[in-house]
Amino acid sequence: MSTSRKQQGFTLIELIVVIVILGILAATALPKFVDLSSDARISVLNGIKGSLLSAANMAYGKAAAQGLSLTTTGVAMSVGTATVSLDYGFPTAATINNLMQDTGGASHAAGVYTLQTGCTATYAAPAAAGSSPTVTLATGSC
């Protein structure tokens, strides 16, 4: 009387090997497909853009309340201990950072806030009376 046992399914060792291989693949391949750091840097730039425009609008309101000229360039205004130069009532690119409290870790010079090369927010004061400042984002290399 000979009985033969048929193997059904996988052995425990085979299952563990497959799980380990899948774990290694997931650990190495997943970060390449899910790059959240780029999204985070773009979000920081959007935050800087909002802060720049808010600071510029508050400076405009303060200039208007103080009776400063909103139709000329080179007007100086004191904000706390800082001096801000205004063009058409809005801060110039060179002095906008005097109004910023947090730059999200970005370095800044003359209205350009840089997180890394090719990942910037650039503030520009208005070019004429009655227009508004602009903030341009470069996110191609974030």
Side-chain angles (χ1 to χ4, degrees), residues 15-61:
L15 289 174
I16 290 174
V17 168
V18 169
I19 290 171
V20 168
I21 291 171
L22 288 175
I24 292 169
L25 287 174
T28 57
L30 190 60
K32 290 179 175 74
F33 295 112
V34 182
D35 185 14
L36 298 178
S37 60
S38 175
D39 292 340
R41 283 189 288 276
I42 292 170
S43 293
V44 168
L45 285 182
N46 281 317
I48 291 171
K49 177 180 180 177
S51 295
L52 287 167
L53 293 175
S54 293
N57 286 322
M58 289 194 314
Y60 185 87

Side-chain angles (χ1 to χ4, degrees), residues 6-142:
K6 291 186 178 181
Q7 182 178 0
Q8 296 181 5
F10 299 103
T11 66
L12 185 58
I13 298 295
E14 290 171 331
L15 289 174
I16 290 174
V17 168
V18 169
I19 290 171
V20 168
I21 291 171
L22 288 175
I24 292 169
L25 287 174
T28 57
L30 190 60
K32 290 179 175 74
F33 295 112
V34 182
D35 185 14
L36 298 178
S37 60
S38 175
D39 292 340
R41 283 189 288 276
I42 292 170
S43 293
V44 168
L45 285 182
N46 281 317
I48 291 171
K49 177 180 180 177
S51 295
L52 287 167
L53 293 175
S54 293
N57 286 322
M58 289 194 314
Y60 185 87
K62 182 173 174 124
Q66 290 181 353
L68 299 176
S69 174
L70 304 177
T71 58
T72 59
T73 62
V75 176
M77 177 177 71
S78 293
V79 178
T81 59
T83 300
V84 178
S85 180
L86 305 174
D87 286 349
Y88 308 111
F90 291 100
T92 62
T95 61
I96 185 70
N97 196 61
N98 294 345
L99 302 174
M100 297 288 284
Q101 296 212 351
D102 184 16
T103 61
S107 60
H108 55 84
V112 179
Y113 293 79
T114 305
L115 289 174
Q116 66 184 33
T117 302
C119 188
T120 61
T122 304
Y123 171 85
S131 56
S132 298
T134 58
V135 177
T136 306
L137 301 182
T139 60
S141 296
C142 285

